[in-house]
């Protein structure tokens, strides 16, 4: 059932009921139209309340309908019917009135909301704009500037703030239906108060307001299409009469809806929800209870990981081997919190509460009560071995033992304990208190409830947990190897570091691959290359970085790496010294330098990554291509408007073209790194996409 009409004396209630989030599907649109007709026809009904059953008010248009042909009636038709309705209408809002849901509420005369409800127009996050009158009504109701801000950010607005803005008329604590009916009854006999009839005055805006907004938005929402169209639509609210403004909104909506960005962002929406569905994990598996956590290692990663738990109100014991390391680690955590407080995002009380949740220790005995222990020590197996053998002795029965390793085998690590079923990888991404990704690595013997617990923990600490199988580098770092290798080879073949990085940044990456190496520290790759078996990586690709490290150029931390850096600055400055090292190294390997195009940079870096992604999928290291996309969006800053590397390859480039280019690079550079994944070959031969990969 999608809708039902109920008479409470002279107040009618139109109930919408479409679990789980009352998305405005075709059936819901029909139900609203039917309800309006019924309420109009019933002369005993003097006023109408629109309310929703279940956990929320309508959370927006039904996104699953976006990919098919239009299904009538459209939401704008429903909104027109609301405008044409002759009696006052009150929206009773609980949960999240988002997108089309909020637009329905904006087409009502009054909005009554539970104090803990949220409203908002998050369409921008799906690459579109509010297409059911939101761009014309919200500015009329709350003013141009706050409305524009709300639509460009797409962020939820808590009901009290929405009331302050003028978008909510009454806040309710307690029974919403009762309060909404009482409120509605007060409005009996009042004329309609339609938002469309409010006159907007252009004089209230500073000169050049929209130009300034366009420029600011171009910086803040780099490369994004729909935020600029939102500005166009809101400008129409002031320059055009209401109905023409609505028409303009419709035109702009369809421009956005057919853009590749909208398709990519909608893919991300569903990919993010898909990721926690783990094939083979019994539906009734019960996560273990995690009330306290311990972290081993108070370095950059350990400290960042500890902050996540303290932020979520979970007590965390932080272990280091000596007092100096412990003091330094805690000092960095405090500094991070204080920096957030200085920006006004935490009170000093909250800083102290969070610091109070972190208990420093030098003794493994202090870990005996922890429900979850995460090891974040140096990345060598000998050290991990010692740690896990010790944990096996001190940890309580049933405690989950996790490693934050970026590359090492979880099965080997689990083998250092007598309880491999309790061991798994919890791989955080630097900076661990900021990056949203948590790669959860299941070992061959990890117990289902341990996996379920890690997914649960990810949610509690506001991360997106992606389950990966066990292999060198798991999903993210295994694919990164191809990306880094090609970026490094391109500079030997003739591109400058800035040319490579600028192409990647223009594509939408937050920074280029060489800048990323400088940020992480070139000594990390240097050390790992020294430890690796010859033949398992491309020696040439690391040659420049190795020389830079041997010259003391370790990256940003020494103010010199692939670039120079000024004190306290992160802006990369091209270096003549590095240019010379590159030329010498190219000569040493007999590489003839040549002009390199932007297209080659993008194809080499991303297709190398995607080809490995196909292997990751083929081997079952990732369950779905969309999981790989999520890893790249939240762990590596891949631009969401391109959907992730696998979506990009399939939908921007096309898999046949991707395969053709990979084959071409194999012809040019040999098969060692460019042999197409058999999965890619099969999908192209069968005319299939990644969704049909398994
Ligand atoms: N359409 C279709 N399905 C939706 C949906 C929507 N708008 N919103 C959520 N769902 C589905 C999810 O895919 C999920 O399905 P599964 O259980 O099958 O995975 C289910 O509803 C529950 O969603 P969440 O897991 O996200 O639940 P939550 O409680 O964590 O969050 C929420 C609820 C805050 C409403 C969140 O789902 C959300 O933000 N939804 C999207 C809201 C949105 O973007 N609305 C605007 C739509 S565009 C629009 O309205 C255009 C217009 O102008 C007409």
């Amino acid at each position: 059932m999608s809708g039902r009409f109920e008479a409470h004396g002279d107040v009618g209630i139109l109930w919408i009921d479409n679990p789980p989030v009352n998305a405005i599907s075709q059936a819901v649109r029909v139900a609203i139209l039917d309800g309006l007709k019924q309420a109009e026809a019933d002369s005993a009904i003097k006023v109408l309340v629109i309310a929703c059953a279940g956990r929320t008010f309508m959370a927006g248009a039904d996104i699953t309908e976006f990919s098919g042909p239009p299904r009538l009636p459209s939401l704008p038709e429903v909104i027109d019917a609301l405008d044409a309705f002759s009696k006052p209408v009150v929206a009773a809002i609980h949960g999240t009135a988002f997108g089309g849901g909020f637009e329905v509420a904006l087409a009502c005369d009054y909005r009554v909301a539970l104090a803990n409800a949220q409203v908002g127009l998050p369409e921008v996050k799906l690459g579109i704009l509010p297409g059911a009158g939101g761009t014309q009504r919200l500015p009329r109701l709350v003013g141009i500037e706050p409305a524009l801000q709300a639509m460009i950010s797409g962020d939820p607005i808590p009901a009290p703030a929405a009331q302050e803005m003028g978008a909510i008329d009454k806040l309710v604590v307690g029974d919403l239906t009762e309060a909404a009916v009482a409120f509605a009854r007060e409005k009996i006999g009042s004329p309609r108060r339609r938002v469309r009839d409010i006159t907007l005055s252009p004089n209230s805006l500073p000169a050049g307001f929209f130009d300034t907004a366009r420029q600011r938005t171009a910086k803040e929402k780099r490369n994004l299409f729909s935020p600029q169209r939102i500005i166009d639509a809101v400008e129409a609210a002031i320059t055009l009469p209401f109905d023409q403004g609505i028409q303009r909104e419709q035109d702009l909506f369809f421009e956005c809806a057919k853009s590749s960005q909208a398709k990519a962002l909608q893919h991300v929406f569903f990919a993010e929800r898909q990721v926690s569905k783990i094939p083979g994990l019994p539906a009734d598996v019960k996560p273990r209870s995690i009330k306290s956590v311990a972290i081993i290692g108070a370095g950059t990663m350990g400290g960042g990981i500890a902050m996540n738990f303290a932020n979520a109100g979970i007590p965390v014991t932080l272990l280091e081997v000596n007092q100096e390391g412990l003091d330094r680690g805690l000092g960095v955590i405090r500094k991070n919190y204080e920096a957030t407080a200085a920006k006004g995002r935490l009170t000093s009380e909250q800083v102290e509460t969070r610091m109070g949740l972190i208990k420093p220790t030098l003794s493994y005995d202090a870990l005996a009560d922890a429900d979850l222990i995460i090891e974040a020590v140096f990345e060598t197996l000998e050290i991990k071995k010692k740690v896990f053998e010790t944990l096996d002795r001190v940890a309580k029965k049933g405690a989950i033992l996790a490693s934050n390793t970026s590359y090492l085998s979880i099965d080997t690590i689990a083998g250092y304990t007598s309880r491999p079923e309790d061991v798994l990888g919890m791989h955080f991404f630097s900076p661990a208190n900021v990056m949203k990704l948590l790669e959860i690595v299941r070992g061959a013997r990890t117990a289902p409830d341990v996996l379920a617990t890690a997914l649960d923990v990810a949610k509690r600490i506001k991360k997106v947990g992606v389950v990966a199988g066990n292999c060198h580098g798991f999903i993210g770092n295994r694919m990164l190897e191809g990306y880094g290798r090609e970026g490094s080879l391109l500079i030997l073949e003739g591109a400058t570091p800035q040319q490579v990085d600028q192409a990647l940044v223009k594509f939408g990456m937050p920074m280029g691959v060489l800048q990323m190496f400088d940020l992480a520290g070139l000594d990390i790759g240097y050390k790992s290359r020294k430890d690796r078996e010859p033949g398992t990586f491309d020696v040439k690709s690391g040659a420049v970085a190795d020389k830079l490290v041997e010259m003391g150029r370790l990256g940003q931390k020494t103010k010199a790496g692939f670039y120079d850096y000024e004190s306290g600055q992160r802006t990369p400055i091209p270096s003549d010294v590095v240019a010379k090292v590159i030329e010498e190294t190219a000569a040493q390997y007999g590489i003839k330098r040549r002009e390199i195009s932007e297209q080659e940079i993008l194809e080499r870096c991303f297709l190398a990554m995607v080809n490995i992604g196909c292997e990751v999928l083929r081997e079952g290291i990732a369950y779905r291509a969309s999981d790989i996309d999520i890893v790249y969006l939240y762990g590596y800053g891949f631009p969401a408007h391109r959907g992730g590397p696998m979506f990009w390859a399939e939908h921007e480039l096309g898999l046949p073209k991707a395969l053709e280019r990979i084959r071409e690079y194999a012809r040019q550079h040999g098969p060692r790194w460019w042999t197409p994944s058999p999965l890619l070959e099969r999908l192209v031969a069968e005319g299939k996409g990644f969704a049909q990969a398994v």
Side-chain angles (χ1 to χ4, degrees):
M1 181 186 47
S2 299
R4 139 177 79 91
F5 181 76
E6 214 174 76
H8 287 236
D10 41 12
V11 180
I13 304 184
L14 170 51
W15 284 102
I16 298 303
D17 188 0
N18 182 28
V21 297
N22 288 310
I24 311 169
S25 61
Q26 184 183 37
V28 167
R29 297 193 295 275
V30 169
I32 300 177
L33 287 182
D34 286 351
L36 288 175
K37 269 191 212 130
Q38 217 173 325
E40 190 74 87
D42 188 339
S43 60
I45 298 297
K46 306 290 185 215
V47 59
L48 180 68
V49 171
I50 297 183
C52 291
R55 70 195 215 212
T56 178
F57 194 77
M58 290 167 262
D62 184 344
I63 304 169
T64 58
E65 286 185 4
F66 286 5
S67 50
R71 292 192 209 169
L72 297 177
S74 68
L75 189 54
E77 278 173 62
V78 172
I79 302 275
D80 284 349
L82 261 171
D83 265 345
F85 190 69
S86 69
K87 307 167 192 183
V89 190
V90 177
I93 299 172
H94 73 296
T96 45
F98 284 168
F102 189 36
E103 290 175 295
V104 167
L106 289 172
C108 296
D109 302 49
Y110 304 94
R111 284 147 296 278
V112 171
L114 278 186
N116 62 0
Q118 294 181 319
V119 298
L121 294 171
E123 285 85 346
V124 72
K125 296 182 180 172
L126 299 168
I128 53 174
L129 52 76
T135 65
Q136 307 302 297
R137 285 192 179 80
L138 192 61
R140 283 178 162 77
L141 197 58
V142 305
I144 294 271
E145 214 165 344
L148 192 60
Q149 164 63 24
M151 285 182 254
I152 286 186
S153 78
D155 290 338
I157 308 166
Q163 185 190 33
E164 218 160 279
M165 287 166 83
I168 301 283
D169 299 284
K170 187 178 169 65
L171 286 188
V172 174
V173 178
D175 190 323
L176 176 65
T177 316
E178 208 173 273
V181 167
F183 181 92
R185 198 157 274 135
E186 287 168 20
K187 305 300 170 194
I188 290 176
S190 308
R192 285 219 54 189
R193 193 187 73 150
R194 299 183 309 178
V195 176
R196 59 170 289 145
D197 299 329
I198 299 171
T199 312
L200 264 180
S201 160
N203 303 335
S204 57
L205 287 178
F209 174 82
F210 288 104
D211 289 340
T212 313
R214 283 188 179 93
Q215 284 158 17
R216 194 183 53 236
T217 306
K219 273 199 211 123
E220 287 170 7
K221 303 272 172 177
R222 193 165 68 90
N223 296 328
L224 293 186
F225 184 73
S226 80
Q228 294 292 340
R229 306 292 85 72
I230 288 174
I231 300 174
D232 296 345
V234 171
E235 191 171 27
I238 210 160
T239 55
L240 298 176
F242 184 82
D243 289 320
Q244 287 177 34
I246 288 283
Q247 188 51 54
R248 179 93 179 106
E249 176 192 270
Q250 278 292 292
D251 295 344
L252 292 164
F253 176 85
F254 286 113
E255 261 185 56
C256 292
K258 61 177 197 264
S259 71
S260 60
Q261 295 194 355
K263 293 186 176 75
L265 288 164
Q266 285 155 32
H267 160 76
V268 172
F269 177 84
F270 288 112
E272 212 179 294
R273 280 153 184 83
Q274 190 76 3
V275 84
S276 55
K277 296 177 180 131
I278 307 304
L281 196 65
D284 58 352
V285 65
K286 221 173 140 269
R288 296 184 190 177
S289 156
I290 303 295
K291 296 211 180 76
S292 64
V293 174
I295 314 288
I296 304 176
T300 315
M301 277 319 273
I305 297 171
M307 288 174 76
N308 289 309
F309 290 97
N311 296 348
I314 302 169
V316 44
T317 305
L318 186 60
L319 181 137
E320 250 306 338
V321 284
N322 58 45
Q323 191 62 44
E324 198 195 341
L326 203 50
D327 291 345
R328 196 173 38 233
L330 282 171
V332 172
I333 295 176
R334 176 170 283 283
K335 218 171 106 207
N336 283 339
Y337 278 139
E338 281 171 356
T340 312
K343 288 182 204 141
R345 288 197 259 123
L346 275 184
T347 62
S348 45
E349 217 173 41
Q350 284 169 317
V351 172
E352 292 318 317
T353 308
R354 292 180 193 198
M355 287 305 297
L357 282 167
I358 304 176
K359 295 266 174 293
T361 185
L362 295 173
S363 160
Y364 270 89
D365 294 338
L367 274 45
D369 287 332
D371 300 312
L372 165 68
I373 305 178
I374 304 173
E375 160 279 309
V377 302
F378 209 67
E379 189 75 346
T380 68
L381 269 180
E382 305 94 87
I383 301 182
K384 308 260 186 214
K385 181 168 190 276
K386 268 193 209 135
V387 169
F388 276 82
E389 282 172 353
T390 313
L391 286 183
D392 199 25
R393 275 200 313 277
V394 301
K396 70 178 179 189
K397 188 168 173 286
I400 294 178
L401 310 180
S403 171
N404 177 51
T405 179
S406 326
Y407 289 97
L408 301 173
S409 164
I410 288 301
D411 290 335
T412 308
I413 292 173
Y416 301 140
T417 72
S418 61
R419 37 175 135 175
E421 65 283 0
D422 293 338
V423 179
L424 85 176
M426 287 179 76
H427 180 208
F428 290 79
F429 288 71
S430 188
N433 53 321
V434 178
M435 297 304 280
K436 267 182 82 177
L437 179 67
L438 176 62
E439 209 176 17
I440 298 171
V441 188
R442 63 183 147 80
R445 288 192 279 170
T446 305
D449 65 335
V450 170
L451 200 56
T453 311
L455 282 159
D456 201 50
V457 165
K459 274 205 190 114
R460 283 174 71 192
I461 60 173
K462 298 197 167 67
K463 302 274 178 210
V464 180
V466 181
V467 175
N470 186 30
C471 67
H472 182 81
F474 319 122
I475 298 175
N477 282 344
R478 177 164 164 194
M479 290 170 64
L480 195 70
E481 183 142 326
Y483 179 66
R485 181 189 63 242
E486 294 306 314
S488 305
L489 289 175
L490 283 161
I491 59 172
L492 284 178
E493 291 170 32
T496 60
Q498 49 279 25
Q499 203 189 335
V500 171
D501 284 349
Q502 275 163 13
L504 297 170
V505 169
K506 197 168 144 208
F507 176 88
M509 297 301 286
M511 67 180 78
V513 59
L514 301 159
Q515 278 172 274
M516 184 186 77
F517 285 151
D518 272 356
L519 181 66
L522 300 185
D523 48 330
I524 295 180
Y526 180 83
K527 184 161 184 321
S528 106
R529 281 187 290 277
K530 299 284 163 219
D531 288 346
R532 286 181 74 176
E533 297 275 318
T536 58
F537 67 103
D538 187 298
V539 176
K540 282 201 304 296
S541 73
V544 170
D546 285 352
K547 285 187 190 169
L548 297 179
V549 170
E550 282 157 17
M551 290 161 75
R553 299 182 67 102
L554 307 187
Q556 279 192 24
K557 59 187 165 193
T558 57
K559 300 190 198 71
F562 279 105
Y563 298 95
D564 290 330
Y565 298 88
E566 276 169 10
S567 213
Q569 301 287 319
R570 292 189 183 280
T571 314
I573 303 164
S575 154
D576 291 340
V577 175
V578 174
K580 201 156 162 273
V581 172
I582 294 172
E583 275 177 30
E584 283 168 6
T585 315
Q588 182 189 332
Y589 283 101
I591 297 171
K592 196 162 168 302
R593 290 169 60 75
R594 61 188 167 90
E595 278 284 309
I596 303 227
S597 69
E598 187 177 302
Q599 184 193 344
E600 179 173 350
I601 294 171
L602 298 181
E603 285 182 356
R604 294 264 302 273
C605 291
F606 293 125
L607 285 178
M609 183 192 267
V610 167
N611 199 33
I612 303 172
C614 291
E615 284 299 273
V616 159
L617 200 55
R618 188 175 70 89
E619 293 168 15
I621 297 296
Y623 293 118
R624 295 162 280 249
S626 59
D627 287 7
I628 299 177
D629 287 335
I630 292 295
V631 165
Y632 265 83
L633 296 180
Y634 292 129
Y636 301 87
F638 196 94
H641 68 271
R642 292 191 189 266
M646 306 304 272
F647 185 88
W648 168 80
E650 184 172 351
H651 296 275
E652 268 197 56
L653 209 59
L655 294 186
K657 174 87 187 289
L659 178 60
E660 178 206 312
R661 299 306 298 153
I662 289 173
R663 286 186 176 141
E664 174 56 29
Y665 290 122
R667 272 191 288 278
Q668 292 176 18
H669 303 282
R672 176 64 183 94
W673 307 113
W674 284 105
T675 299
S677 161
L679 174 72
L680 182 59
E681 294 202 318
R682 174 170 72 76
L683 291 178
V684 171
E686 293 173 1
K688 290 182 175 165
F690 285 129
Q692 296 127 306
V694 273

